[in-house]
Amino acid sequence: MLVNTVTAKHCSTSRAAGWVVLPYQRPGVAPLRVASWTAGGNLSLHRPLFWNKFNKLSGEAELVVAMERNHRHKMEEQSDPTAPDGVRVQFKGFMVTVLDYLAQGLNFSYAFRRPPDGSWGVKERDGTFTGMVGQVYRQEVDFGLGPFAINAPRLEATDFTWPVTLMSVKVLAGRGSVEVDPWGFVLPFGPWVWAAVLAFLLLLSVGSSLLSFKFSEKDLREESFAFVNIMLRQSVWVGEGGWWWQRVVLGVWMLMTMVLTRSYEGNLMSLLAVRHLPQPYQTLRDVVDDPSVVMVWEKQGAPMQAVIDATSGIFHEVKRSEEQGRLKPLPLYAYSSILDDIIYQWKVIIDYEVVLTVTRSNYFSRTGRCDLYLAQERIFAHPLALIGQKDSPLVLAVSARIISMTEAGLYVHWNSATIPNSSACAQVPTKITISSSLSLRQCWAMLVLLLGGLAVGLATFFLEVMMVGTLGR
């Protein structure tokens, strides 16, 4: 930290002057004269001796700002011999607009410096800090742009400015495909309903055959296959000499199958015309309890810090899921590469709501489809702010400008202006109507079942012919 330095200079006229080295001043720039006086005691103040030098910096002040590319900020590299690596990094995005506002208000210029690992920064198990947080902690930069979520580990390494916003963490998941399932003709009934129908069909057919053989002393009667005929809506004939119990059983079976077939037809029509798109993941617990889904968290971000530090509870369960391959850290800019896995419900993203909203809106702008949704649960919330070095007076000066910026609504305006179609998929329906005709690709399962039935019937026919020929001999 720079402090005032006063230098007395004696001249032949017995005059002296006071000088100050301004904070963040470039090397080689002359100090600023603040006062002069004579031996007779005449004092001339060119400016107050103890004014707030951080409220308005010198125009020669250049701050080094930590920043990293993400889904909302694009990075450009330009050759510059004066830069440390011969390359000057530039960013474009709404936080750069915030930085320009602060630079104009505090009267400084700036240069960006990226973190070596390309992350926001967390506290590792060995006590070191990574990413931009580590840059500020090691005093490699003056402050980090971010914005950064305020949590206890980061407070150990940096000082936070006044928050710019409050953001909650949610789950981004996929609604599934709207394509018609080729096996959709079996979906009107659940597995247990199909099993019960087949079990009753087999039980009634075998029982009727045995009873008919016992009481009529004949071979298997045709009524034994009447249950199958009724199920397939074929004609049924019952002889005059038949037993009343057979008529009662057939009548009850006919009534039940009529209800079942009508229900099947109605549900099948609904499934073909109106698709239900479930949204199964509404809480973090729903995600953790599903062993088939992979959780994607921001690599070395603040939400990931909660997982690293967890010793119990649901975040500890998330940490243990890494052993099963269900926890995948990923940088922000790589989220767009896994959206297909999200839509097919193989993965979910857990991050701040604004990050997920931007990811969803970018997908809608590119495809015009609302295949992604945000879960209802707010897992936890963090205030977001800029970070500076510990005990840096620059943090107080920046905080004063941030307060005026947020009170004027500028941050909200700049933030929302960079999210196109942010509300396009805010209320996605769980049911949609499909008016297009079915294609062969959507009906191949029914054709496979038909061909399979024909093959079984043909094989049975040849088997019967062979049996008749053998028994005839």
Side-chain angles (χ1 to χ4, degrees), residues 389-403:
Q389 298 176 8
K390 272 292 185 180
D391 302 322
S392 172
L394 184 64
V395 173
L396 296 177
V398 172
S399 295
R401 298 290 176 176
I402 289 178
I403 292 175

Side-chain angles (χ1 to χ4, degrees), residues 182-183 185-186 264 443-456:
W183 295 96
F185 63 92
V186 301
Y264 177 84
C443 300
W444 64 265
M446 290 184 287
L447 298 179
V448 169
L449 189 63
L450 174 61
L451 294 177
L454 293 177
V456 173

Side-chain angles (χ1 to χ4, degrees), residues 11-67:
C11 304
S12 59
T13 57
S14 300
R15 296 180 62 89
W19 307 79
V20 64
V21 177
L22 296 177
Y24 302 100
Q25 186 170 288
R26 290 193 184 99
V29 178
L32 179 67
R33 189 172 69 168
V34 295
S36 61
W37 62 93
T38 64
N42 296 323
L43 176 64
S44 299
L45 292 178
H46 302 283
R47 64 179 59 229
L49 290 177
F50 303 102
W51 84 98
N52 186 355
K53 296 174 286 299
F54 297 92
N55 186 47
K56 194 77 171 181
L57 298 177
S58 168
E60 292 81 14
E62 182 179 60
L63 304 182
V64 182
V65 182
M67 187 58 180

Side-chain angles (χ1 to χ4, degrees), residues 55-347:
N55 186 47
K56 194 77 171 181
L57 298 177
S58 168
E60 292 81 14
E62 182 179 60
L63 304 182
V64 182
V65 182
M67 187 58 180
E68 179 53 53
R69 60 174 177 163
N70 54 66
H71 60 300
R72 302 187 66 185
H73 295 83
K74 296 181 179 180
M75 182 187 71
E76 297 179 354
E77 294 182 346
Q78 302 173 354
S79 59
D80 186 355
T82 62
D85 299 329
V87 176
R88 181 172 292 271
V89 179
Q90 296 292 335
F91 289 93
K92 291 183 178 180
F94 81 100
M95 284 304 297
V96 179
T97 305
V98 172
L99 181 59
D100 290 336
Y101 172 87
L102 298 176
Q104 183 178 3
L106 296 176
N107 193 29
F108 65 85
S109 58
Y110 58 85
F112 289 111
R113 184 175 298 175
R114 297 178 60 197
D117 56 2
S119 67
W120 256 232
V122 296
K123 183 180 180 180
E124 297 286 7
R125 294 181 177 90
D126 59 1
T128 60
F129 292 90
T130 63
M132 291 184 279
V133 175
Q135 286 182 295
V136 177
Y137 175 70
R138 295 186 296 271
Q139 298 185 357
E140 298 173 359
V141 297
D142 296 306
F143 67 92
L145 187 57
F148 298 82
I150 301 176
N151 56 24
R154 289 177 175 176
L155 280 171
E156 298 178 15
T158 64
D159 281 345
F160 282 87
T161 65
W162 187 265
V164 293
T165 187
L166 179 69
M167 194 56 58
S168 58
V169 174
K170 286 191 172 185
V171 176
L172 178 70
R175 303 170 62 208
S177 175
V178 298
E179 295 292 333
V180 176
D181 190 350
W183 295 96
F185 63 92
V186 301
L187 297 180
F189 291 157
W192 288 108
V193 176
W194 284 112
V197 170
L198 295 177
F200 274 107
L201 182 62
L202 181 63
L203 178 63
L204 292 175
S205 299
V206 174
S208 178
S209 299
L210 294 177
L211 292 175
S212 298
F213 178 77
K214 179 177 178 60
F215 290 107
S216 62
E217 297 181 357
K218 296 181 180 179
D219 294 333
L220 298 179
R221 300 170 61 91
E222 294 183 1
E223 288 84 346
S224 303
F225 300 97
F227 301 101
V228 179
N229 296 339
I230 293 174
M231 193 72 182
L232 300 178
R233 291 189 174 184
Q234 296 179 351
S235 60
V236 176
W237 179 82
V238 180
E240 296 181 358
W243 295 83
W244 276 100
W245 65 267
Q246 289 179 312
R247 301 176 185 272
V248 172
V249 173
L250 287 175
V252 173
W253 176 253
M254 187 177 298
L255 179 63
M256 189 192 75
T257 54
M258 181 181 68
V259 175
L260 284 175
T261 54
R262 293 293 184 183
S263 301
Y264 177 84
E265 292 174 355
N267 289 341
L268 182 60
M269 290 285 292
S270 299
L271 288 174
L272 294 177
V274 180
R275 293 298 312 279
H276 174 66
L277 299 177
Q279 299 178 2
Y281 307 118
Q282 294 297 336
T283 64
L284 182 58
R285 172 57 60 187
D286 295 337
V287 177
V288 173
D289 291 343
D290 187 354
S292 63
V293 66
V294 175
M295 294 171 283
V296 177
W297 295 68
E298 179 192 349
K299 183 179 180 181
Q300 297 187 353
M304 192 65 186
Q305 183 76 65
V307 176
I308 295 175
D309 297 340
T311 58
S312 62
I314 191 169
F315 291 113
H316 185 61
E317 296 181 37
V318 173
K319 183 164 63 174
R320 288 190 304 174
S321 66
E322 186 175 8
E323 302 173 358
Q324 307 168 1
R326 296 184 55 210
L327 180 61
K328 182 178 181 181
L330 203 65
L332 288 175
Y333 58 83
Y335 283 176
S336 59
S337 63
I338 62 169
L339 291 184
D340 289 338
D341 295 342
I342 302 296
I343 294 173
Y344 288 104
Q345 299 178 352
W346 299 335
K347 297 178 182 177

